[in-house]
Amino acid sequence: LPHGRTCLNKLVPECCTSKHSSKNNIAGSISVTIKGKIILPADKDITFPEDSFLHVSCLDISLADAPSIKLGSDIVDVSNKSSKELRYTVTAIMPSRLGDVSMDATINVGWKRDPNGDDWIKKGDYHSDTNHLLKVKEGVTEYELDIAVVQYNH
């Protein structure tokens, strides 16, 4: 059996679940910074309750029929913050080969996920339900990309 965590039905290897994994830092790779806003649906203007957390990941999705690989991630405490002021910064290690890279976001509203648990989203949370592709360019180390999220109602 493969080891790792499942994210959006894709297995993420344990070696890639930390913010900065030395196993991702392969020869020829480059460290990049991605910043942006989290955009909630237009009809949503809320202040998040205590114990609310934004999880943002940078994922290599270039290999068809293979799990995505986490290149970088960040967790932001958004307790008592307005939905209109959510920003993120992720440092990611980009491989030397340029492939498809996507940004992914989830906001856990009023609960803190167990990093070793299986629960990553609950009804009422917010998540990105589409790929937010990052146009990676050789030699570029700073990017800006906003991520739209929708409310999870399952």
Side-chain angles (χ1 to χ4, degrees):
L1 279 178
H3 295 287
R5 297 177 47 83
T6 302
C7 179
L8 296 175
N9 297 324
K10 295 179 181 176
L11 186 67
V12 178
E14 288 298 339
C15 68
C16 301
T17 59
S18 66
K19 188 172 179 179
H20 303 284
S21 173
S22 61
K23 292 183 182 180
N24 279 348
N25 196 5
I26 55 176
S29 62
I30 184 170
S31 178
V32 302
T33 302
I34 306 114
K35 298 179 180 182
K37 293 184 268 188
I38 303 298
I39 302 170
L40 272 72
D43 63 336
K44 300 289 182 183
D45 185 12
I46 64 171
T47 298
F48 292 99
E50 285 294 320
D51 291 325
S52 295
F53 295 88
L54 166 64
H55 298 259
V56 182
S57 297
C58 178
L59 305 168
D60 179 343
I61 60 168
S62 60
L63 299 175
D65 300 327
S68 60
I69 298 172
K70 192 179 291 188
L71 303 173
S73 64
D74 195 18
I75 300 171
V76 180
D77 185 344
V78 296
S79 302
N80 303 311
K81 289 190 178 178
S82 165
S83 58
K84 301 292 183 196
E85 60 186 48
L86 296 183
R87 296 195 60 79
Y88 73 90
T89 301
V90 169
T91 300
I93 304 299
M94 295 292 176
S96 55
R97 58 157 181 74
L98 297 178
D100 292 332
V101 175
S102 180
M103 298 300 293
D104 177 71
T106 304
I107 304 170
N108 299 133
V109 180
W111 67 285
K112 185 173 184 175
R113 75 172 77 159
D114 177 351
N116 299 312
D118 292 331
D119 290 338
W120 64 276
I121 193 164
K122 294 181 180 178
K123 187 174 183 173
D125 289 349
Y126 293 86
H127 70 108
S128 49
D129 66 345
T130 186
N131 284 331
H132 289 79
L133 293 177
L134 184 68
K135 306 251 187 260
V136 180
K137 297 177 183 149
E138 190 172 343
V140 177
T141 59
E142 293 189 18
Y143 295 90
E144 184 96 16
L145 182 68
D146 296 341
I147 303 172
V149 295
V150 297
Q151 194 162 32
Y152 183 75
N153 290 315
H154 298 287

